[in-house]
Amino acid sequence: MIGQFFRLTGRGLGDILIHPWAHLLTLVAVAMVSLLAGFVLLGLHNVNMQLMKSRGEVQFQIYWKTDTDPKIIESQWEAVGSMDHLVDIKGFTPQDALLELADTLGEAGDFGWLKETNPLPFSALASFAVPPSSQQEGWAAGILTKLKSMPGVEKVNYSPLQEDLAHGWKLISKAVIWPVIGFLGLVVAMVVGNTMRLSLLTRNDEIEILALVGAKPWFIRWPLITGGMALGLTGSMAGLGLLKLAQNTLADILNIPPLFIHINFMPMEYCIALVGGITLVAIVSSWVAVR
Amino acid sequence: MVELKHLSYNFGSHWALKDINLSVGKGEFLFLTGHSGAGKTTLLRLLYGALPVSRGRATVAGFDLHRLKRRYVPQLRRRVGVVFQDFKILPRRTVFDNVAMALEVRGMARSPLERRVRAIIRAMGLETKSYTQCERLSGGEQQRVAIARSMVSNPELILADEPTGNLDFGLTMHLMKIFKQFHTYGTSVIMATHSREVLEAVPEARVLHLENGRIHDLNKPDDTEDDIEEFE
Ligand SMILES: Nc1ncnc2c1ncn2[C@@H]1O[C@H](COP(=O)(O)OP(=O)(O)O)[C@@H](O)[C@H]1O
Ligand SMILES: [Mg+2]
C-alpha cells in the first residue's frame, strides 16, 4: 500500500515528461498568471505602505495660558521634545509669534505698539511620525490627551488631515480591497483551472484506459493530483521569482523627488497565499478532471 | 458466465437493444454479428459496466449488473478483459508499461507482475519490443499489445469489439489464432464482428445475429415482431 502510494506519486511526477511541451506551456501559463496576480498584490501592498507611513505623521499646535511662567513653558518644550516618535518641535515666544504675524501681514501691519502688552501666548508646533507598528487604536488621541494634561497648557489644536486620510483608506480597503482580491482570486482560479483542465485533456485516453482495466478512482486521480500539484507549485514559485526580479529592477524607479517611494517586496504571508492559492486551484482542477 | 434476461437499452427515445435473452457458458466462444448500428457495441458496453443496466437483468462473472454500484465497477472490469477496434493503448508508453497497467491497478507486487507481463509479451511474439514505445509499432503489433493487456490478468471473459476491423487479412488470421489459443485454455470470448473471415476462423463458435437491437435467430422462422410497443 505504502509502496504503491510512492509509486503512484512518482508516476504523477514522471508523467509530466510524457507530454513535455503541453506541460511546459501549462507551467508558463501558471507562472504568468501568478506574476500578474503578484503585481496586483505588490501594488496593493505598496499603496498600503505609503498610506500607513503618512498616516503616522501628525502635527500639534500647543498654546499656553498667557500668564504661565516662561520657565515652566521652556521645561515643557523640553518634555515634549523628548516624547516618543517626535520628529520636530518649534517653540514660539510671544515675541516670535508677533514677528511672524507682522511678517505675514507685511507693510500693512505695524504691531510695534503691542510690544509692551503682547496678547499672544507661548506656543509650540510639535510634529510626530509614528511608525505603523506603533499605531495602536487611538494613538493620536493619546498624544493629544498627554499634551493637554500638561500644566499651563490652554488648548491643543492638531491637524487631523492625515488621520482622516488614513481612516478613509481603512474604509476603502474594507469596501474595495477584499472585493478586488476576491475578483483577482476568481480570475486566477478560472485561468489556472482551465489551463490545468486543458493540459489534462492530453491524459483523457489514459484515464479511460485505466478505468477499463479496473483502476479504482483514487488510483487514477492520485498521479494526476501530484502532477497538478507539482505544476501549480513550480509555476507559482516561478511567477513569484519573476516578480522578485521585476521588483529588484524597478524598486527605485519612483524613488525620485518629490515621491521618494521605494517599492518594497510583498511580505511572506502574501507570497504564501499566492503560491498556496494557485497550488490549491491546480490540485482541485486535477481532481475535478476525473468525474 | 453471462446471463441476460429481457435486457433492453435506450439512448433517449431510440432503443438500441430490445429484449435480449442470452446465456453464455464458461469457455464458450460467441460471435455477435449484424450490420453497423445493430447494437453490438451497446451490448458489449453493458457487459463491462460502461452503460448502466436499467431494463432487464444481466449477470456477468457473478456480478448482477442491475444492482452493481458504481464503486464495484472496477471489480467487474478486473474479471473481464476488453479489446477494441481502435486498440486503446497509450502510444507514448512502452509495450511493457501498457501491459503492466492491467496488473498495477490491482496492486500486484513488482516481481510476480514483471514475470507475468514478460510471459504474455513473449506469448504474443513481442519480446524484442518490450521497451519500445507503442506509437512506433505497426497496427497488428499494437492490437497484440491490447490483447496482451486484456489477457495478462487471466480474465474469465474477454469482450472484443471488432478487434480486427483495422487490420488486413494476414494479421486478422494471426490474431484469431491468438484468441483461439486463449479460448482453449478456458477463457470465454464474446466477439463482435461483421467479417466473414473472422467467423470462419472459429468454426466451432456460436453465432448470434443482431438486427435493430433484437436477436435474430437464423435457424428459426421470423417471430421477433411481437410487441415492440412494450419498449416504446
Ligand atoms: N452514445 C449514443 N447515443 C445515441 N445513440 C447511440 C449511441 N451509441 C449508439 N447509439 C445508437 O444505438 C444503435 C446501436 O449502436 P451500436 O451498438 O454502436 O451498433 P453496432 O456496434 O452494432 O454498430 C445505433 O442506432 C446507434 O446509432
Ligand atoms: Mg460497433
Side-chain angles (χ1 to χ4, degrees):
Chain A
M1 200 68 189
I2 298 287
Q4 200 173 35
F5 172 79
F6 283 116
R7 199 155 41 239
L8 286 178
T9 305
R11 170 187 289 172
L13 302 179
D15 282 352
I16 291 174
L17 300 177
I18 288 185
H19 299 282
W21 290 111
H23 286 117
L24 189 67
L25 288 177
T26 307
L27 197 68
V28 170
V30 172
M32 288 302 142
V33 170
S34 41
L35 177 62
L36 287 178
F39 266 127
V40 175
L41 287 181
L42 191 71
L44 279 179
H45 172 65
N46 277 283
V47 168
N48 207 23
M49 289 276 287
Q50 286 305 317
L51 280 153
M52 289 302 269
K53 206 166 79 187
S54 61
R55 187 188 162 195
E57 287 167 11
V58 68
Q59 289 186 328
F60 295 89
Q61 185 86 42
I62 309 159
Y63 299 94
W64 279 268
K65 293 178 187 128
T66 34
D67 56 355
T68 315
D69 181 356
K71 287 243 160 49
I72 294 179
I73 293 171
E74 259 166 58
S75 77
Q76 287 184 350
W77 279 355
E78 265 170 51
V80 173
S82 62
M83 277 172 71
D84 285 344
H85 312 305
L86 182 110
V87 279
D88 187 39
I89 181 163
K90 261 196 222 110
F92 298 91
T93 61
Q95 286 79 5
D96 294 336
L98 193 61
L99 280 177
E100 192 151 307
L101 188 62
D103 220 28
T104 33
L105 293 178
E107 295 296 305
D110 179 6
F111 296 99
W113 54 275
L114 275 176
K115 267 200 181 111
E116 295 309 307
T117 53
N118 189 341
L120 295 177
F122 278 85
S123 67
L125 182 67
S127 307
F128 290 82
V130 179
S133 54
S134 308
Q135 293 175 9
Q136 295 91 355
E137 199 65 45
W139 59 273
I143 297 177
L144 185 65
T145 323
K146 196 167 169 192
L147 293 175
K148 271 185 173 165
S149 66
M150 290 193 298
V153 169
E154 184 167 70
K155 62 171 181 173
V156 180
N157 290 341
Y158 87 109
S159 60
L161 178 74
Q162 305 287 15
E163 186 51 18
D164 281 355
L165 195 66
H167 186 64
W169 172 246
K170 257 180 143 177
L171 288 180
I172 290 174
S173 40
K174 274 210 188 99
V176 172
I177 299 299
W178 287 111
V180 165
I181 287 183
F183 183 70
L184 186 71
L186 196 71
V187 170
V188 168
M190 279 174 59
V191 174
V192 172
N194 270 312
T195 311
M196 292 299 299
R197 217 167 48 99
L198 282 178
S199 88
L200 284 168
L201 283 183
T202 60
R203 323 257 322 240
N204 267 357
D205 287 349
E206 180 175 355
I207 294 170
E208 184 194 353
I209 290 168
L210 280 170
L212 277 177
V213 296
K216 298 210 169 122
W218 65 265
F219 188 99
I220 301 176
R221 277 190 171 133
W222 186 247
L224 298 181
I225 287 172
T226 47
M229 189 165 78
L231 282 178
L233 206 60
T234 42
S236 54
M237 301 246 263
L240 206 61
L242 289 175
L243 186 69
K244 178 70 193 154
L245 215 64
Q247 182 261 337
N248 269 352
T249 325
L250 303 177
D252 288 318
I253 201 167
L254 296 179
N255 206 351
I256 41 155
L259 293 167
F260 298 113
I261 295 174
H262 174 82
I263 300 173
N264 288 293
F265 199 60
M266 309 185 290
M268 203 53 173
E269 305 91 80
Y270 282 40
C271 299
I272 291 173
L274 188 68
V275 170
I278 287 179
T279 307
L280 192 71
V281 171
I283 291 173
V284 169
S285 46
S286 309
W287 171 268
V288 174
V290 188
R291 322 139 305 265
Chain B
M1 184 56 46
V2 174
E3 278 292 333
L4 308 180
K5 290 214 176 80
H6 306 294
L7 181 68
S8 299
Y9 192 84
N10 62 307
F11 293 103
S13 63
H14 176 69
W15 290 89
L17 289 176
K18 296 167 205 155
D19 197 26
I20 303 291
N21 291 291
L22 174 66
S23 172
V24 181
K26 200 164 166 48
E28 234 185 303
F29 202 122
L30 175 79
F31 281 120
L32 291 174
T33 64
H35 297 292
S36 173
K40 306 181 292 294
T41 299
T42 304
L43 181 54
L44 292 177
R45 291 181 71 196
L46 281 165
L47 296 184
Y48 63 83
L51 294 173
V53 171
S54 48
R55 285 287 191 107
R57 279 290 144 112
T59 314
V60 175
F63 289 87
D64 180 354
L65 300 191
H66 183 66
R67 295 204 193 136
L68 190 66
K69 297 230 171 67
R70 242 177 87 100
R71 67 170 181 279
Y72 293 115
V73 169
Q75 306 290 353
L76 167 71
R77 302 228 171 128
R78 291 175 189 189
R79 309 273 291 275
V80 178
V82 282
V83 182
F84 301 89
Q85 179 170 2
D86 60 354
F87 317 145
K88 290 203 198 297
I89 55 176
L90 293 171
R92 300 282 185 97
R93 293 185 198 258
T94 63
V95 170
F96 186 95
D97 286 347
N98 266 283
V99 175
M101 213 174 229
L103 297 179
E104 278 168 358
V105 300
R106 280 151 229 251
M108 185 186 258
R110 207 62 202 171
S111 74
L113 177 144
E114 285 179 7
R115 234 178 295 126
R116 271 173 81 167
V117 172
R118 291 234 172 73
I120 195 111
I121 287 176
R122 201 177 314 119
M124 292 288 167
L126 289 169
E127 63 266 58
T128 57
K129 314 248 165 138
S130 280
Y131 300 104
T132 306
Q133 283 193 351
C134 285
E135 63 188 354
R136 306 229 187 96
L137 301 178
S138 71
E141 288 168 332
Q142 294 194 16
Q143 191 60 302
R144 275 186 276 159
V145 173
I147 295 172
R149 185 187 64 207
S150 73
M151 308 258 188
V152 70
S153 57
N154 208 7
E156 298 152 61
L157 172 67
I158 300 256
L159 303 174
D161 194 354
E162 311 200 29
T164 60
N166 282 348
L167 306 175
D168 66 29
F169 179 75
L171 286 172
T172 300
M173 287 304 116
H174 182 75
L175 286 187
M176 288 315 293
K177 220 182 268 168
I178 293 171
F179 276 107
K180 276 173 78 173
Q181 221 164 49
F182 280 97
H183 174 233
T184 51
Y185 293 143
T187 310
S188 312
V189 180
I190 300 181
M191 185 181 292
T193 183
H194 47 217
S195 146
R196 185 145 298 281
E197 296 142 6
V198 169
L199 292 178
E200 283 165 358
V202 193
E204 69 273 26
R206 223 170 111 199
V207 179
L208 200 78
H209 188 71
L210 280 174
E211 220 165 84
N212 290 327
R214 284 175 177 270
I215 291 179
H216 198 85
D217 198 323
L218 296 172
N219 305 319
K220 280 195 212 161
D222 197 330
D223 59 352
T224 54
E225 292 305 313
D226 54 338
D227 36 54
I228 292 173
E229 291 76 34
E230 193 184 318
F231 302 99
E232 289 170 349

